């Protein structure tokens, strides 16, 4: 059995190892000059390779959650940890079950995978960008910009469109389409969001803890607490990333999308009012200990209170209320260059549940971010890449299906 894996990212390298383990002769074709470029920039260069808290597909977005669920259960986070332990990678666990290489270097993960690729005698060819895949009778004919290859089976693992500088430029969708698949519009996710800013650029550069409620057509659909970063164009930070997939999908459907921001998420409104009761002085004196100086300045401007003015109790109450229910009208997101993942892609309904073999072209398997599955920050997306790469590769490498 000859298997050709297209794309040497997380899903493709895992698929190659799994196919070789099943007994196939494996060739991996990679467009870039080096394999695993995206893995090496994950987790701020430290690579959050999985998360022990992942039990099922509930935190993921997908067109076929049951299929995603089956794949994730077939190769859970524990298997990822064992897999890397067997490759000699030392790992550490952070709060919330997040797993990182002990070295804090994402490249250690790439190096471990590449050692296994060599050990299993997998042929890895870089600077081989695939431009077409054709199936004639039972053989696949794969053309790159400079050469051509043949195989009995193909695993397509070209990624989505996020961070195209690492190689995932959307070519995988073109190849999948040419083999009979459809593509749900790819959108940037885990990405900063653009907004109409109530305070103009007054808060540009401010980072603070916040609670953010995502409202779609007025209805609260998700809430996150964490770091919020104000920028000249809108909002960023982990809490924003976690809500971005739902926000971009709703914006694409032309829905009204708002972020309701709570600038003091660890206190209730009455707790805060209690703390300022009977206090006298200017607004800055009374509220200076509550907010970042730039935030307080913006709030005072919005409440039309002059600097140094003596505080009026009712106005203090309304300032606190405003800071706990600040509504931003979201207008869109930053581009794929600033996104960590892609929402959308090849519908999971177009692949078989356990093998990830295409329902359109027999002998073709799909894996990774190319498929319509995306998860939150915290090791979820790499876990999907490992699990789907394993399912596709081990099935592609088997004699009969
Ligand atoms: C900055 C950043 C940080 C991230 N941090 C984390 C994290 O800490 N934890 C986490 O779980 N997830 C993280 N992610 C997400 C995660 O990295 C991806 O979801 C995952 O790497 C996707 O794997 P993949 O193999 O499907 O695609 P990719 O990693 O994109 O790999 C696809 C490969 O296919 C190659 N290719 C594309 N087209 C062709 C072609 N025509 N011919 C040949 N080769 C081709 C590309 O060059 C690329 O090497 C992060 C992403 C980014 C951008």
């Amino acid at each position: 059995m000859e298997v050709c894996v297209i794309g040497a990212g997380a899903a493709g390298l895992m698929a190659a190892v799994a196919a070789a383990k099943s007994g196939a002769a494996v060739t991996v074709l990679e467009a870039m000059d080096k394999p695993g470029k995206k893995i090496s920039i994950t987790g701020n260069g430290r690579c959050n390779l999985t998360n022990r808290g992942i039990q099922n597909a509930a935190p993921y977005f997908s067109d076929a959650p049951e299929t995603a669920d089956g794949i994730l259960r077939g190769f859970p986070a524990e298997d990822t940890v064992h897999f890397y332990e067997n490759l000699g990678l030392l790992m550490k666990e952070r709060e919330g079950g997040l797993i990182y290489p002990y070295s804090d270097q994402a490249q250690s993960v790439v190096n471990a995978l590449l050692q296994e690729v060599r050990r299993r005698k997998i042929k890895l060819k870089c600077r081989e960008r695939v431009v077409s895949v054709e199936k004639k009778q039972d053989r696949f004919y794969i053309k790159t910009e400079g050469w051509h290859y043949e195989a009995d089976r193909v695993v397509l693992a070209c990624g989505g469109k996020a961070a195209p500088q690492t190689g995932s430029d959307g070519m995988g969708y073109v190849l999948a389409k040419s083999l009979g698949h459809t593509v749900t519009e790819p959108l940037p996710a885990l990405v900063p969001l653009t907004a109409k800013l109530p305070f103009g650029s007054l808060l540009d550069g401010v980072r603070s803890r916040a609670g953010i409620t995502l409202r779609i057509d007025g209805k609260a659909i998700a809430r996150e607490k964490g770091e919020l970063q104000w920028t000249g164009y809108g909002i960023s930070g982990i809490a924003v990333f976690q809500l971005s997939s739902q926000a971009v999908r709703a914006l694409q459907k032309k829905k009204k999308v708002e972020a309701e921001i709570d600038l003091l998420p660890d206190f209730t409104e009455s707790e805060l009012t209690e703390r300022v009761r009977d206090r006298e002085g200017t607004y800055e004196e009374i509220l200076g200990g509550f907010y970042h100086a730039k935030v307080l300045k913006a709030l005072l401007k919005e409440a039309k209170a002059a600097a140094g003015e003596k505080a009026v109790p009712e106005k203090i109450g309304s300032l606190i209320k405003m800071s706990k229910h600040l509504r931003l009208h979201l207008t869109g997101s930053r581009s794929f260059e600033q996104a960590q993942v892609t929402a959308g892609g090849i519908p999971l309904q177009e692949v078989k549940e356990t093998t990830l073999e295409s329902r359109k072209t027999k002998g073709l398997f799909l894996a990774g971010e190319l498929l319509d599955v995306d998860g939150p920050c915290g090791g979820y997306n790499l876990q999907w890449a490992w699990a789907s790469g394993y399912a596709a590769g081990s099935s592609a490498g088997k004699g009969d299906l």
Side-chain angles (χ1 to χ4, degrees):
M1 177 70 58
E2 287 173 346
V3 174
C4 177
V5 177
I6 307 178
L13 291 171
M14 177 59 94
V17 168
K21 218 167 151 184
S22 298
V26 184
T27 302
V28 185
L29 303 177
E30 167 55 47
M32 304 298 277
D33 56 344
K34 278 191 216 156
K37 279 211 162 177
K38 188 174 289 168
I39 304 174
S40 69
I41 62 161
T42 55
N44 283 327
R46 291 178 306 163
C47 186
N48 174 197
L49 72 154
T50 188
N51 183 326
R52 281 197 204 268
I54 304 173
Q55 307 288 340
N56 51 44
Y60 292 80
F61 301 99
S62 158
D63 68 295
E66 332 70 53
T67 304
D69 209 70
I71 297 297
L72 288 161
R73 286 176 195 272
F75 193 89
E78 280 311 303
D79 287 11
T80 301
V81 172
H82 283 145
F83 175 81
Y84 281 103
E85 257 165 17
N86 287 337
L87 301 192
L89 185 75
L90 213 53
M91 284 162 280
K92 61 184 168 196
E93 187 170 337
R94 295 233 164 101
E95 204 189 327
L98 280 69
I99 307 287
Y100 287 84
Y102 198 81
S103 66
D104 263 336
Q105 284 194 303
Q107 193 59 38
S108 310
V109 177
V110 181
N111 292 346
L113 272 170
L114 292 181
Q115 259 187 54
E116 185 65 359
V117 162
R118 282 191 292 274
R119 198 178 73 82
R120 295 202 177 265
K121 310 223 171 346
I122 294 166
K123 287 185 195 143
L124 173 59
K125 313 237 174 215
C126 290
R127 294 197 183 90
E128 283 287 38
R129 185 168 187 267
V130 175
V131 290
S132 74
V133 180
E134 272 185 77
K135 193 177 177 202
K136 289 184 203 148
Q137 277 93 41
D138 281 343
R139 282 292 269 179
F140 285 91
Y141 297 85
I142 303 124
K143 272 196 194 143
T144 64
E145 279 162 350
W147 200 240
H148 51 89
Y149 297 84
E150 286 183 30
D152 302 308
R153 287 182 180 158
V154 165
V155 179
L156 207 52
C158 300
K161 286 179 106 173
Q165 66 278 15
T166 61
S168 48
D169 60 359
M171 187 60 185
Y173 304 128
V174 178
L175 299 174
K177 269 188 182 170
S178 76
L179 293 160
H181 286 278
T182 63
V183 180
T184 302
E185 190 183 344
L187 301 167
L190 302 191
V191 66
L193 297 171
T194 56
K196 277 189 193 147
L197 294 170
F199 310 122
S201 56
L202 266 185
L203 300 184
D204 194 359
V206 173
R207 286 164 188 254
S208 64
R209 182 167 162 75
I212 310 177
T213 304
L214 183 69
R215 288 188 177 274
I216 297 183
D217 288 340
K219 195 171 162 226
I221 61 144
R223 186 175 156 84
E224 284 291 333
K225 229 193 238 187
E227 192 193 66
L228 166 69
Q229 196 183 324
W230 296 86
T231 67
Y233 56 78
I235 48 175
S236 187
I238 293 286
V240 174
F241 278 21
Q242 301 292 46
L243 298 169
S244 62
S245 182
Q246 290 171 89
V248 293
R249 284 173 205 256
L251 283 163
Q252 195 225 3
K253 291 183 187 139
K254 307 267 178 274
K255 298 199 175 176
K256 183 178 167 198
V257 186
E258 292 166 299
E260 184 178 329
I261 296 176
D262 179 351
L263 292 167
L264 299 168
D266 301 309
F267 304 91
T268 65
E269 216 171 296
S270 47
E271 276 169 352
L272 292 163
T273 351
E274 190 54 38
R275 279 174 192 245
V276 293
R277 205 188 358 203
D278 303 331
R279 294 200 62 192
E280 288 186 3
T282 64
Y283 292 105
E284 288 88 344
E285 283 165 348
I286 297 173
L287 294 173
F290 283 24
Y291 306 100
H292 185 291
K294 280 189 179 177
V295 171
L296 181 57
K297 200 171 166 192
L299 289 171
L300 290 175
K301 193 170 177 226
E302 189 70 7
K304 299 195 173 37
E309 191 181 310
K310 193 164 185 310
V312 180
E314 297 74 48
K315 219 173 205 177
I316 294 221
S318 54
L319 271 166
I320 289 174
K321 195 181 193 90
M322 189 201 305
S323 74
K324 287 192 70 68
H325 301 279
L326 207 58
R327 284 224 188 174
L328 296 191
H329 182 76
L330 299 175
T331 51
S333 76
R334 298 298 267 180
S335 66
F336 277 112
E337 275 72 15
Q338 289 182 42
Q340 291 198 359
V341 294
T342 314
I346 315 296
L348 267 189
Q349 282 169 359
E350 296 183 4
V351 291
K352 294 186 184 161
E353 285 89 357
T354 49
T355 59
L356 296 183
E357 185 180 15
S358 161
R359 292 185 194 275
K360 308 289 177 182
T361 300
K362 197 171 177 326
L364 173 71
F365 297 77
L366 295 99
E369 203 175 304
L370 178 68
L371 288 161
D372 184 1
V373 179
D374 61 285
C377 296
Y380 290 81
N381 290 294
L382 278 172
Q383 182 56 33
W384 170 251
W386 312 130
S388 59
Y390 181 80
S394 49
S395 316
K398 279 186 194 134
D400 296 313
L401 284 174

